Amino acid sequence: MFSYNFFNTNYSIANSNVINTPNINVYLNHKKLVYLTFDDGPAYIVTDEILNILKNYNVKATFFVVGKEIQNKENILLRIYKEGHSIGLHSYSHDYKKLYSAEEIFINEMITTREKVKSVTGYTSTIIRFPGGSMRHLDSDFLEKLHNNSFKVYDWNISLSDGTYPNLSPDELLSIAKSCTRASPILIVLMHCNFCNENTAKVLPSIIKYYKNLGYEFKTINNDTEEYYFTFSK
Ligand SMILES: [Zn+2]
């Protein structure tokens, strides 16, 4: 039996900006927390730019990295780790067709990526994010298998849409962040740090200031963070 998932209310559609609005009563005793998450790295230039900005603002974030991207970019991965950010696993291939052809393949890709991250940083990550999100892929049996391999699943409740639309302007990305931030005390914001996400790096200072002004505290997802996944739809 898995633990009660306090985010797990409902979701609308894949890549929707606001996936769900958690029950506010659950959070009465919670602080306002925002988890900035960056998928698909490490990548040349953009991942470093994002790290520079996070350093300037003294904000820690979570990077869900792709195993095959680590080759020749070990120094970027190491920088993520050394600067106090959290590292999550985002598959080895990021190839949906292959990855979602069998649960064992998915698990093996996460294990391979976990080992790759460990070989570079010495850190063993237990947090994973499904490429494209867990919807249509996750059910209670699969979740149990993931737990048996010490993995915990994290989707998001805000998406900047910069994965599907990396060419959105910084202003457009900021508008999306503003339009989909509801009165939720806990936000998991999906962004990307791939080579094509220049505009995400450009808008990041404004995103950070926006959440700071709203009174949010920045946190990283780590082994102690309660799981957050979309309602099963499989
Ligand atoms: Zn991805």
Side-chain angles (χ1 to χ4, degrees):
M1 188 65 190
F2 49 89
S3 62
Y4 172 59
N5 186 326
F6 63 23
F7 287 100
N8 206 350
T9 49
N10 57 63
Y11 74 93
S12 46
I13 53 166
N15 294 320
S16 148
N17 294 323
V18 179
I19 305 293
N20 62 33
T21 304
N23 179 352
I24 195 88
N25 294 320
V26 176
Y27 300 103
L28 285 177
N29 297 320
H30 285 260
K31 282 191 246 177
K32 288 162 86 173
L33 303 176
V34 60
Y35 298 86
L36 301 183
T37 68
F38 297 93
D39 288 8
D40 296 358
Y44 293 118
I45 302 173
V46 171
T47 304
D48 271 319
E49 283 177 0
I50 285 171
L51 286 167
N52 292 341
I53 294 160
L54 293 170
K55 197 173 189 177
N56 285 344
Y57 286 86
N58 194 25
V59 165
K60 306 297 182 204
T62 304
F63 290 78
F64 287 94
V65 300
V66 175
K68 73 176 167 69
E69 298 300 332
I70 295 171
Q71 183 92 31
N72 299 325
K73 302 184 204 92
E74 288 87 350
N75 57 336
I76 305 175
L77 184 70
L78 204 52
R79 184 179 172 202
I80 293 172
Y81 179 70
K82 285 187 170 170
E83 295 190 358
H85 305 291
S86 187
I87 298 176
L89 313 168
H90 192 50
S91 83
Y92 189 83
S93 68
H94 208 279
D95 176 342
Y96 288 17
K97 204 174 167 191
K98 182 175 167 230
L99 191 59
Y100 295 127
S101 60
E103 291 175 354
E104 288 64 34
I105 290 174
F106 179 96
I107 290 170
N108 283 337
E109 286 214 12
M110 291 299 181
I111 289 172
T112 307
T113 305
R114 177 162 64 191
E115 285 167 359
K116 186 88 186 155
V117 168
K118 192 180 179 197
S119 73
V120 173
T121 64
Y123 173 71
T124 303
S125 178
T126 63
I127 63 171
I128 68 169
R129 174 171 282 159
F130 283 59
S134 72
M135 70 286 269
R136 294 187 301 278
H137 305 297
L138 191 60
D139 59 21
S140 55
D141 287 345
F142 191 12
L143 186 65
E144 195 179 334
K145 284 183 201 169
L146 292 168
H147 288 171
N148 290 342
N149 283 280
S150 305
F151 290 126
K152 291 169 80 176
V153 179
Y154 298 88
D155 284 310
W156 59 86
N157 59 3
I158 291 187
S159 166
L160 252 58
S161 300
D162 61 335
T164 315
Y165 305 106
N167 293 327
L168 288 172
S169 71
D171 281 349
E172 286 168 325
L173 292 170
L174 185 60
S175 306
I176 290 171
K178 289 181 176 176
S179 68
C180 64
T181 297
R182 306 263 171 92
S184 174
I186 297 185
L187 305 175
I188 300 181
V189 184
L190 169 65
M191 293 176 276
H192 293 77
C193 63
N194 210 341
F195 66 92
C196 57
N197 294 116
E198 275 289 336
N199 287 348
T200 301
K202 283 186 187 145
V203 79
L204 185 56
S206 304
I207 298 275
I208 291 171
K209 283 181 224 159
Y210 174 64
Y211 287 122
K212 272 192 176 165
N213 288 338
L214 289 177
Y216 280 88
E217 183 185 323
F218 294 88
K219 294 269 287 179
T220 61
I221 296 171
N222 56 47
N223 298 346
D224 300 326
T225 308
E226 185 164 357
E227 264 186 316
Y228 172 54
Y229 44 83
F230 303 138
T231 302
F232 301 148
S233 59
K234 198 174 166 186

Short mmCIF file of all heavy atoms in Angstrom, two decimals, residues 183-208:
data_model
loop_
_atom_site.label_atom_id
_atom_site.label_comp_id
_atom_site.label_asym_id
_atom_site.label_seq_id
_atom_site.Cartn_x
_atom_site.Cartn_y
_atom_site.Cartn_z
N ALA A 183 -4.21 29.43 -6.05
CA ALA A 183 -3.97 29.58 -4.62
C ALA A 183 -3.49 28.27 -4.00
O ALA A 183 -3.95 27.85 -2.96
CB ALA A 183 -5.24 30.05 -3.94
N SER A 184 -2.56 27.63 -4.67
CA SER A 184 -2.06 26.37 -4.14
C SER A 184 -0.79 26.62 -3.35
O SER A 184 0.13 27.26 -3.84
CB SER A 184 -1.77 25.42 -5.30
OG SER A 184 -1.15 24.26 -4.81
N PRO A 185 -0.72 26.13 -2.12
CA PRO A 185 0.48 26.40 -1.31
C PRO A 185 1.67 25.56 -1.72
O PRO A 185 2.77 25.83 -1.27
CB PRO A 185 0.04 26.02 0.10
CG PRO A 185 -1.39 25.65 0.01
CD PRO A 185 -1.73 25.39 -1.40
N ILE A 186 1.47 24.54 -2.51
CA ILE A 186 2.61 23.74 -2.96
C ILE A 186 2.58 23.65 -4.48
O ILE A 186 1.61 23.19 -5.07
CB ILE A 186 2.60 22.33 -2.32
CG1 ILE A 186 2.74 22.45 -0.81
CG2 ILE A 186 3.73 21.48 -2.90
CD1 ILE A 186 2.86 21.16 -0.07
N LEU A 187 3.66 24.12 -5.08
CA LEU A 187 3.73 24.14 -6.54
C LEU A 187 4.94 23.33 -7.01
O LEU A 187 6.04 23.50 -6.49
CB LEU A 187 3.90 25.58 -7.05
CG LEU A 187 2.86 26.59 -6.59
CD1 LEU A 187 3.24 27.99 -7.06
CD2 LEU A 187 1.47 26.22 -7.10
N ILE A 188 4.69 22.46 -7.97
CA ILE A 188 5.80 21.77 -8.64
C ILE A 188 5.77 22.26 -10.08
O ILE A 188 4.83 21.98 -10.83
CB ILE A 188 5.66 20.24 -8.58
CG1 ILE A 188 5.62 19.75 -7.12
CG2 ILE A 188 6.82 19.57 -9.33
CD1 ILE A 188 5.51 18.25 -6.98
N VAL A 189 6.79 23.03 -10.43
CA VAL A 189 6.79 23.72 -11.72
C VAL A 189 7.68 22.96 -12.70
O VAL A 189 8.87 22.76 -12.44
CB VAL A 189 7.31 25.16 -11.56
CG1 VAL A 189 7.23 25.90 -12.90
CG2 VAL A 189 6.53 25.91 -10.49
N LEU A 190 7.09 22.54 -13.80
CA LEU A 190 7.84 21.82 -14.84
C LEU A 190 8.44 22.81 -15.84
O LEU A 190 7.72 23.59 -16.47
CB LEU A 190 6.90 20.85 -15.58
CG LEU A 190 7.47 20.23 -16.87
CD1 LEU A 190 8.66 19.33 -16.57
CD2 LEU A 190 6.39 19.44 -17.61
N MET A 191 9.77 22.76 -15.96
CA MET A 191 10.48 23.53 -16.97
C MET A 191 11.52 22.61 -17.60
O MET A 191 11.67 21.47 -17.18
CB MET A 191 11.16 24.75 -16.33
CG MET A 191 10.18 25.77 -15.80
SD MET A 191 10.98 27.16 -14.95
CE MET A 191 11.20 26.47 -13.33
N HIS A 192 12.24 23.11 -18.58
CA HIS A 192 13.24 22.30 -19.27
C HIS A 192 14.55 23.06 -19.40
O HIS A 192 14.56 24.29 -19.50
CB HIS A 192 12.72 21.88 -20.66
CG HIS A 192 11.55 20.94 -20.58
ND1 HIS A 192 10.28 21.39 -20.29
CD2 HIS A 192 11.47 19.59 -20.70
CE1 HIS A 192 9.46 20.34 -20.25
NE2 HIS A 192 10.15 19.24 -20.50
N CYS A 193 15.65 22.29 -19.42
CA CYS A 193 16.97 22.93 -19.54
C CYS A 193 17.75 22.33 -20.70
O CYS A 193 18.96 22.20 -20.65
CB CYS A 193 17.75 22.80 -18.23
SG CYS A 193 18.13 21.10 -17.76
N ASN A 194 17.01 21.95 -21.74
CA ASN A 194 17.66 21.38 -22.92
C ASN A 194 18.30 22.48 -23.77
O ASN A 194 18.08 23.66 -23.51
CB ASN A 194 16.60 20.60 -23.73
CG ASN A 194 17.20 19.45 -24.49
OD1 ASN A 194 18.41 19.39 -24.71
ND2 ASN A 194 16.36 18.52 -24.90
N PHE A 195 19.06 22.09 -24.80
CA PHE A 195 19.79 23.09 -25.60
C PHE A 195 18.85 24.10 -26.25
O PHE A 195 19.23 25.22 -26.54
CB PHE A 195 20.64 22.38 -26.67
CG PHE A 195 19.82 21.67 -27.70
CD1 PHE A 195 19.45 22.32 -28.87
CD2 PHE A 195 19.41 20.35 -27.49
CE1 PHE A 195 18.67 21.66 -29.83
CE2 PHE A 195 18.63 19.69 -28.44
CZ PHE A 195 18.26 20.35 -29.60
N CYS A 196 17.59 23.69 -26.49
CA CYS A 196 16.64 24.58 -27.18
C CYS A 196 15.89 25.51 -26.22
O CYS A 196 15.07 26.32 -26.65
CB CYS A 196 15.64 23.74 -27.97
SG CYS A 196 14.75 22.56 -26.96
N ASN A 197 16.17 25.40 -24.92
CA ASN A 197 15.37 26.15 -23.95
C ASN A 197 16.02 27.46 -23.50
O ASN A 197 15.97 27.84 -22.32
CB ASN A 197 15.03 25.26 -22.74
CG ASN A 197 14.13 24.10 -23.11
OD1 ASN A 197 14.51 22.94 -23.01
ND2 ASN A 197 12.93 24.41 -23.57
N GLU A 198 16.62 28.15 -24.47
CA GLU A 198 17.22 29.47 -24.20
C GLU A 198 16.24 30.42 -23.51
O GLU A 198 16.61 31.16 -22.60
CB GLU A 198 17.65 30.12 -25.52
CG GLU A 198 19.02 29.69 -26.00
CD GLU A 198 20.13 30.27 -25.16
OE1 GLU A 198 19.91 31.31 -24.52
OE2 GLU A 198 21.22 29.67 -25.13
N ASN A 199 14.98 30.40 -23.97
CA ASN A 199 14.01 31.36 -23.43
C ASN A 199 13.60 31.01 -22.00
O ASN A 199 13.20 31.90 -21.24
CB ASN A 199 12.79 31.46 -24.35
CG ASN A 199 13.13 32.24 -25.61
OD1 ASN A 199 14.19 32.87 -25.67
ND2 ASN A 199 12.26 32.20 -26.60
N THR A 200 13.71 29.75 -21.65
CA THR A 200 13.45 29.37 -20.26
C THR A 200 14.51 30.00 -19.36
O THR A 200 14.21 30.54 -18.30
CB THR A 200 13.45 27.83 -20.12
OG1 THR A 200 12.44 27.30 -20.98
CG2 THR A 200 13.17 27.41 -18.68
N ALA A 201 15.78 29.94 -19.83
CA ALA A 201 16.85 30.58 -19.05
C ALA A 201 16.62 32.09 -18.98
O ALA A 201 16.80 32.69 -17.92
CB ALA A 201 18.21 30.28 -19.69
N LYS A 202 16.16 32.67 -20.08
CA LYS A 202 15.95 34.13 -20.08
C LYS A 202 14.85 34.55 -19.11
O LYS A 202 14.92 35.61 -18.49
CB LYS A 202 15.57 34.60 -21.49
CG LYS A 202 16.77 34.69 -22.41
CD LYS A 202 16.42 35.28 -23.76
CE LYS A 202 17.62 35.18 -24.69
NZ LYS A 202 17.23 34.93 -26.07
N VAL A 203 13.80 33.74 -19.00
CA VAL A 203 12.67 34.14 -18.15
C VAL A 203 12.86 33.73 -16.69
O VAL A 203 12.15 34.22 -15.80
CB VAL A 203 11.34 33.57 -18.71
CG1 VAL A 203 11.16 32.10 -18.36
CG2 VAL A 203 10.15 34.38 -18.19
N LEU A 204 13.83 32.88 -16.44
CA LEU A 204 13.96 32.33 -15.08
C LEU A 204 14.08 33.39 -13.98
O LEU A 204 13.42 33.26 -12.94
CB LEU A 204 15.12 31.32 -15.04
CG LEU A 204 15.31 30.58 -13.72
CD1 LEU A 204 14.05 29.83 -13.29
CD2 LEU A 204 16.49 29.61 -13.82
N PRO A 205 14.88 34.46 -14.17
CA PRO A 205 14.92 35.47 -13.10
C PRO A 205 13.53 36.03 -12.77
O PRO A 205 13.19 36.22 -11.60
CB PRO A 205 15.83 36.56 -13.68
CG PRO A 205 16.71 35.83 -14.65
CD PRO A 205 15.83 34.78 -15.25
N SER A 206 12.72 36.27 -13.80
CA SER A 206 11.36 36.79 -13.56
C SER A 206 10.49 35.76 -12.86
O SER A 206 9.64 36.12 -12.02
CB SER A 206 10.70 37.18 -14.88
OG SER A 206 11.50 38.11 -15.55
N ILE A 207 10.67 34.51 -13.21
CA ILE A 207 9.89 33.43 -12.56
C ILE A 207 10.25 33.37 -11.07
O ILE A 207 9.37 33.28 -10.21
CB ILE A 207 10.20 32.06 -13.22
CG1 ILE A 207 9.80 32.06 -14.70
CG2 ILE A 207 9.59 30.90 -12.44
CD1 ILE A 207 8.36 31.74 -14.98
N ILE A 208 11.55 33.44 -10.80
CA ILE A 208 12.00 33.38 -9.40
C ILE A 208 11.43 34.57 -8.62
O ILE A 208 10.87 34.41 -7.53
CB ILE A 208 13.54 33.35 -9.33
CG1 ILE A 208 14.06 32.01 -9.86
CG2 ILE A 208 14.03 33.59 -7.90
CD1 ILE A 208 15.58 31.94 -10.03
#
